Amino acid sequence: MSTVAAHQPPPRPGLELTDTEQDMRDGREGPAVALAMRIVTGLAAVVGATRLLPVTSAHIDSCLYHGQAGLDFAERLVAFDGRVAVPTTLNVGSLDLLHPELVRAGPELAGPARRLMDAYVELGATATWTCAPYQLAHRPGLGEDVAWAESNAVVFANSVLGARTDRYGDFLDICAALTARVPDAGLHRTENRRGQLVVDVRSVPSHLLGRDVTAAVLGHLVGQLAGVRVPVLHGLPAGTTEDQLKALGAAAASSGGVALFHATGITPEAPTLAAALQGGEPEDTIVVTAAMLAAARAELSTVAGGRLDAVSVGTPHFSLAEFGQLAELLAAGPPVVVDFYVSTSRFVRQQADSHGWLRVVEEAGVRVLVDTCTYITPVLAPGTRVVMTNSGKWAYYAPGNLGVQVVFGGLDECVASAREGRVVRDDRTWLAL
Amino acid sequence: MLEAPLSFWGGTDAVTGRIVDERHPQRGLDLRGSVLALPAGRGSSSSSSVLAEAIRAGTAPVAVLLGEPDVIIVLGAMVAAELYDRHCPVVHLPPQAYAGLPAGRLVEVVAGDVSEGRPARVSATEEVATP
């Protein structure tokens, strides 16, 4: 028998806890905090942190039902009288609690999924039920340490807001919320926020670069190029919108493990390329061509065209601005003839209602789903085979999650296709490159 | 030995233990009971829950050897140990050791503990692993 690895971790200073933190760990704040502290300090040891950092908010992804283990964990914390110590928002659950009829969940899913959602509210978290907590009224600021889970929320908080969170997983999110602590490691530390890879988009034709659809395609490509590294996008137009950055980050966190990107002249830690690189040299520089984007766009579809069964947009959750765009597209023209879903939060839905956009969208035949998302819970009608989306993330995960074929296109193309009942896409823009 | 990074969430089915990611080159592979060599975790932060559930359900790998550190995978294993006292060691290997893993052979993994500074040991045998 040959030893492949007696992996000897380099000697390093141990984790130092403050008296308060030691008290939490010893159970003086109750068994829920003690359990949470075991997980937080266990993770701190794994990542080699020498201290914990206080956080000002938490965003919890653990409220989505993935099976008995997640429910057992939450209900144990409730049984231990756990209570969050910082303002805490909740990611999507498996149900639309306002429109339960939209989710085709049998009792075997609906029962435990509801219990899980209830458990997190009982622990003191706010019933926001959104994967886009950055669309809520309060957002963390530049340099603020937070404990956010959900890969698209993590990448948005780090990149667009300049807040600091590592790519936390389920369980650690609630443990951080109960203790208000995270390991001082990963993207909380300035040196780890340095750009490692320059993705130069300056030679991409301007008619492509400024478009919403391109942001998701570029994100898909950037995730493949960067893996878990920190990419610096160089040359994005100054008018790049938050929704475009949302789409880019979500796609890059799906096709890769991107938890932070910089965009020179746009994101707060990248006033210049040198600043994004923290004065250092990049490991790699990749010049993106229009042909690379066309190939990435093609990868996001599993079928080229033909008959369409449904459209799904709002992954990550639809923003108010996106509701405005959709209402404008739908206001002029015939209603849609296939199932058309928008996933969003209660908060944004209410805002869209007060702008009059919700009514326009619903009258055109669109169903607005809240609290959850079409790719993680059964919403689509049985027999749905081909679905169109404007989301790189949805396109990436839906075929595996739902067993559907997917066609990727812009919001305008989704609307045009939904009216025709077949895929209508402008391929010439991408082919004539 | 996986040829590409894998996200447990969206990439595996905790009921069957199989890879379901359409884009993964080893889609359909059964991970149950394997010592899984994974070059990197990838994507969604829900992977911790899916791994913990797979460990509870007995469809998980018995150990995970990582080419790159991944706290999401570690968390899933930590919580399963806390809740069910079922242990799935997760070992991050240096690049050379990872590259030297013998595909298809029986491997012995002795868990370490980073908080006590005790290293893990991974040993290869000549024996072929039964699928």
Side-chain angles (χ1 to χ4, degrees), chain A residues 118-143:
Chain A
D118 289 346
Y120 279 99
V121 173
E122 211 166 324
L123 291 168
T126 310
T128 50
W129 311 125
T130 183
C131 59
Y134 45 83
Q135 292 170 357
L136 300 172
H138 176 77
R139 324 204 281 187
L142 180 63

Side-chain angles (χ1 to χ4, degrees), chain B:
Chain B
M1 304 272 316
L2 293 197
E3 294 155 20
L6 176 71
S7 169
F8 277 90
W9 179 83
T12 67
D13 180 345
V15 175
T16 63
R18 286 181 189 278
I19 296 179
V20 295
D21 182 345
E22 292 275 346
R23 289 172 173 81
H24 199 281
Q26 285 147 298
R27 178 172 182 269
L29 188 70
D30 190 353
L31 305 180
R32 177 198 302 246
S34 66
V35 172
L36 178 67
L38 182 61
R42 207 217 57 231
S44 175
S45 45
S46 298
S47 288
S48 308
S49 283
V50 176
L51 178 59
E53 173 58 14
I55 294 172
R56 185 198 69 80
T59 59
V62 292
V64 180
L65 309 179
L66 289 170
E68 291 198 27
D70 188 304
V71 297
I72 288 174
I73 291 172
V74 172
L75 272 166
M78 270 168 52
V79 166
E82 185 77 52
L83 287 176
Y84 310 114
D85 202 19
R86 286 192 178 194
H87 300 268
C88 171
V90 179
V91 183
H92 169 222
L93 294 175
Q96 228 178 346
Y98 186 86
L101 286 171
R105 294 292 172 80
L106 202 64
V107 167
E108 183 182 57
V109 179
V110 180
D113 188 332
V114 279
S115 39
E116 294 167 14
R118 186 156 45 82
R121 201 183 70 237
V122 178
S123 310
T125 69
E126 295 303 310
E127 207 173 323
V128 174
T130 46

Side-chain angles (χ1 to χ4, degrees), chain A residues 74-345:
Chain A
E75 291 191 336
R76 181 169 296 186
L77 293 173
V78 170
F80 283 171
D81 286 327
R83 190 85 194 159
V84 296
V86 289
T88 300
T89 48
L90 289 167
N91 206 53
V92 292
S94 306
L95 305 171
D96 180 336
L97 299 179
L98 299 187
H99 318 94
E101 72 284 358
L102 286 182
V103 177
R104 300 163 207 270
E108 74 294 341
L109 171 64
R114 181 62 198 259
R115 269 169 63 193
L116 185 67
M117 292 171 84
D118 289 346
Y120 279 99
V121 173
E122 211 166 324
L123 291 168
T126 310
T128 50
W129 311 125
T130 183
C131 59
Y134 45 83
Q135 292 170 357
L136 300 172
H138 176 77
R139 324 204 281 187
L142 180 63
E144 198 171 328
D145 286 301
V146 298
W148 278 22
E150 160 51 38
S151 60
N152 104 83
V154 168
V155 70
F156 193 96
N158 276 319
S159 313
V160 184
L161 304 181
R164 296 182 173 205
T165 179
D166 214 14
R167 49 190 284 248
Y168 294 120
D170 286 2
F171 306 126
L172 189 83
D173 48 16
I174 183 61
C175 293
L178 291 163
T179 59
R181 295 295 189 284
V182 292
D184 177 17
L187 294 173
H188 292 285
R189 298 184 63 86
T190 303
E191 68 269 23
N192 296 333
R193 301 177 69 84
R194 180 178 62 82
Q196 293 164 288
L197 166 75
V198 173
V199 179
D200 186 343
V201 298
R202 287 175 298 176
S203 56
V204 175
S206 57
H207 75 274
L208 281 182
L209 209 49
R211 294 174 61 197
D212 292 353
V213 67
T214 308
V217 171
L218 183 58
H220 181 69
L221 176 64
V222 165
Q224 291 175 331
L225 296 173
V228 295
R229 295 184 290 174
V230 178
V232 184
L233 285 128
H234 189 47
L236 282 183
T240 300
T241 66
E242 269 201 9
D243 285 322
Q244 290 170 346
L245 297 172
K246 170 185 85 163
L248 193 160
S254 301
S255 64
V258 174
L260 163 64
F261 66 86
H262 300 295
T264 52
I266 295 168
T267 59
E269 289 166 71
T272 62
L273 182 57
L277 297 168
Q278 294 183 13
E281 288 295 316
E283 295 167 8
D284 280 309
T285 297
I286 292 163
V287 177
V288 174
T289 63
M292 287 163 78
L293 283 177
R297 172 182 179 260
E299 274 181 26
L300 286 170
S301 298
T302 58
V303 286
R307 201 176 64 80
L308 188 67
D309 298 311
V311 170
S312 178
V313 299
T315 306
H317 272 170
F318 228 43
S319 71
L320 184 62
E322 288 172 313
F323 262 109
Q325 288 172 18
L326 182 60
E328 195 183 329
L329 286 166
L330 288 169
V336 301
V337 300
V338 302
D339 290 344
F340 194 127
Y341 293 96
V342 173
S343 301
T344 191
S345 66

